[in-house]
Amino acid sequence: MSKLVIVGTVAFDAIETPFGKTDKILGGAATFIGLAASQFGVKGAIVSVVGGDFPQSYIDMLSSRGLDVSGLEIVKDGKTFFWSGKYHNDMNSRDTLATELNVLAEFDPVVPQSYRDSEVVMLGNLHPLIQLSVIEQMESPKLIVLDTMNFWMDNALDELLRVISKVDVITINDEEARQLTGEYSLVVAAQKIIQMGPSYVVIKKGEHGALLFHNNEIFFAPALPLEEVFDPTGAGDTFAGGFTGYLARTRDYSFENMKTAIINGSALASFCVEKFGTERLLDLSNDELYLRLQQFKSLTQFDIELT
Ligand code: AMP
C-alpha cells in the first residue's frame, strides 16, 4: 500500500437543495476526499488549513478514520473557509451563493515530512498556487491527480495551466472541460487537455457517469441510477477520493487498473449524495460498498454476440 497526500479545502458548507437546507456543516474537498480514501485503509495525510472556529471534534473524527492531520494548520484567530450553494430542481446544476476564502487566502501548505515520499498525490480543489507548492514538496510521486473547478479558471487561469502541465491525471466536470478548452465535444476537449500535460483525463458527467481518456482509448463508467439524490455536494471529491484511495492501495497506476478505480470512485460518490454533506460517508460500511460495487458490475455487464 502506498501513502496518499491530500490537499484541498476543509470547510464549512451551507447547502440548500429541493429537500431541505443546512446551517454550516462540515464540508470541503479534502474532507470528502479523505473520508472516501479512508474506505480503502490507506495511510492518507490531509494538508489544509482551518480557523479557530473549527470544532476539534471534526479533527478528531478525521484522525479516527486513520487520516494524518499533522498537515492541517489551525489559525487560531482566523475563520474557516466557507462555501454556500443552492441546487436547482434537476440537482445537476447549482448556484454558488458564497465563497469566503478566509484562512485559505494566506495558506502556505506544509506536507508532513513522513508523507513527502508518498507515491500518490491528490490535489483537491484549491488555489492552483497551493497545489503547485504541494507538488514541489514531494520527493518522487508516481501519480499526481488534479481536481479543479470553474472558480479557478475564472480567477487564476495562468497558475492553473501551470499545475495542469505537471500532473498525470485531471478530473474535471463536463462543463468545466468545455470552459477550459472552448470545445463542445468532450472527446476533442479531452484531447486538448491531454496536450496541456496530463496523460489521463477523467470527465465527470454527474448523474450520467464519468469518462476516462488515455491515448486513443476511452472507458465509460455509468453513475448508479438512484431513486433519490438528496445532496450532490462533495460527490466529485468523493469520486476523486475513491479513485486515488483505490490506486494508492493497489499501487498499480495503469489504464486497466484506473477503470476499477473509477468504478470504486463512482460507487462511493453514489453513497455521498444520499444524505447531506459527509453524513452518509460517515456511516458507510465495507459490506455496503461491496454490495454497491456488485450492483455496478451487473448494471454494465452484458453478453452480446458479434457476427
Ligand atoms: P463538489 O460538490 O465535489 O464540487 O465539492 C463541494 C465541496 O467543495 C464543498 O464542500 C466546498 O466546501 C468545496 N468548495 C466549493 N468551492 C470551492 C472552491 N472555490 N475552492 C475549493 N473548494 C471549494
Side-chain angles (χ1 to χ4, degrees):
M1 182 185 311
S2 164
K3 286 183 275 186
L4 170 68
V5 167
I6 301 162
V7 62
T9 41
V10 171
F12 287 132
D13 290 347
I15 303 158
E16 202 176 324
T17 78
F19 302 105
K21 214 175 154 171
T22 67
D23 281 332
K24 287 185 172 183
I25 58 170
L26 174 64
T31 308
F32 286 103
I33 294 167
L35 291 176
S38 69
Q39 284 290 330
F40 300 98
V42 292
K43 286 184 78 184
I46 290 189
V47 178
S48 191
V49 62
V50 291
D53 54 352
F54 196 73
Q56 183 61 39
S57 60
Y58 286 166
I59 300 177
D60 294 343
M61 181 280 290
L62 292 170
S63 304
S64 74
R65 304 266 152 173
L67 295 164
D68 183 298
V69 290
S70 57
L72 178 62
E73 187 190 338
I74 304 171
V75 180
K76 286 259 174 301
D77 55 356
K79 279 176 71 182
T80 300
F81 174 83
F82 172 68
W83 175 79
S84 154
K86 183 176 175 175
Y87 287 86
H88 302 160
N89 278 341
D90 67 2
M91 295 293 255
N92 252 346
S93 51
R94 68 184 179 204
D95 292 328
T96 290
L97 305 177
T99 301
E100 293 173 15
L101 294 180
N102 298 328
V103 286
L104 207 65
E106 303 286 317
F107 179 46
D108 195 5
V110 180
V111 177
Q113 277 300 340
S114 57
Y115 276 83
R116 292 190 180 197
D117 61 353
S118 300
E119 281 185 11
V120 185
V121 183
M122 179 62 230
L123 303 171
N125 195 4
L126 253 190
H127 195 294
L129 286 180
I130 299 177
Q131 297 174 321
L132 271 176
S133 161
V134 167
I135 295 176
E136 279 156 14
Q137 293 173 53
M138 300 305 298
E139 284 163 15
S140 52
K142 292 222 165 85
L143 191 81
I144 306 180
V145 182
L146 168 74
D147 189 38
T148 190
M149 70 185 292
N150 51 358
F151 183 85
W152 304 113
M153 292 175 203
D154 296 337
N155 294 296
L157 183 61
D158 287 348
E159 296 91 328
L160 179 60
L161 291 174
R162 270 170 57 206
V163 189
I164 291 177
S165 74
K166 291 182 187 300
V167 305
D168 304 293
V169 185
I170 181 170
T171 69
I172 189 167
N173 78 27
D174 42 5
E175 281 318 307
E176 290 156 356
R178 291 185 173 119
Q179 177 173 343
L180 184 64
T181 59
E183 294 291 344
Y184 183 79
S185 155
L186 294 179
V187 178
V188 180
Q191 285 162 352
K192 278 202 169 173
I193 296 173
I194 286 177
Q195 281 162 16
M196 295 175 187
S199 33
Y200 299 87
V201 175
V202 179
I203 299 189
K204 300 171 284 180
K205 289 155 56 69
E207 64 172 329
H208 305 297
L211 291 160
L212 169 67
F213 296 86
H214 173 61
N215 295 333
N216 292 322
E217 297 184 276
I218 305 180
F219 173 69
F220 170 66
L224 199 69
L226 295 169
E227 263 174 53
E228 197 173 69
V229 174
F230 194 77
D231 169 24
T233 308
D237 307 311
T238 302
F239 172 86
F243 178 73
T244 45
Y246 180 81
L247 290 172
R249 191 184 70 189
T250 53
R251 298 183 75 181
D252 172 353
Y253 311 117
S254 65
F255 180 71
E256 279 310 307
N257 200 43
M258 277 190 199
K259 294 181 186 176
T260 315
I262 285 200
I263 300 291
N264 275 276
S266 305
L268 281 163
S270 76
F271 284 110
C272 172
V273 302
E274 287 180 350
K275 290 191 180 167
F276 267 129
T278 56
E279 219 179 304
R280 187 64 178 95
L281 289 182
L282 290 174
D283 68 12
L284 178 63
S285 70
N286 271 331
D287 288 349
E288 286 175 307
L289 177 58
Y290 184 74
L291 277 178
R292 194 148 292 185
L293 287 166
Q294 281 184 326
Q295 275 178 279
F296 263 91
K297 222 175 153 185
S298 49
L299 180 71
T300 48
Q301 226 167 30
F302 54 86
D303 283 322
I304 181 170
E305 265 184 45
L306 298 177
T307 49

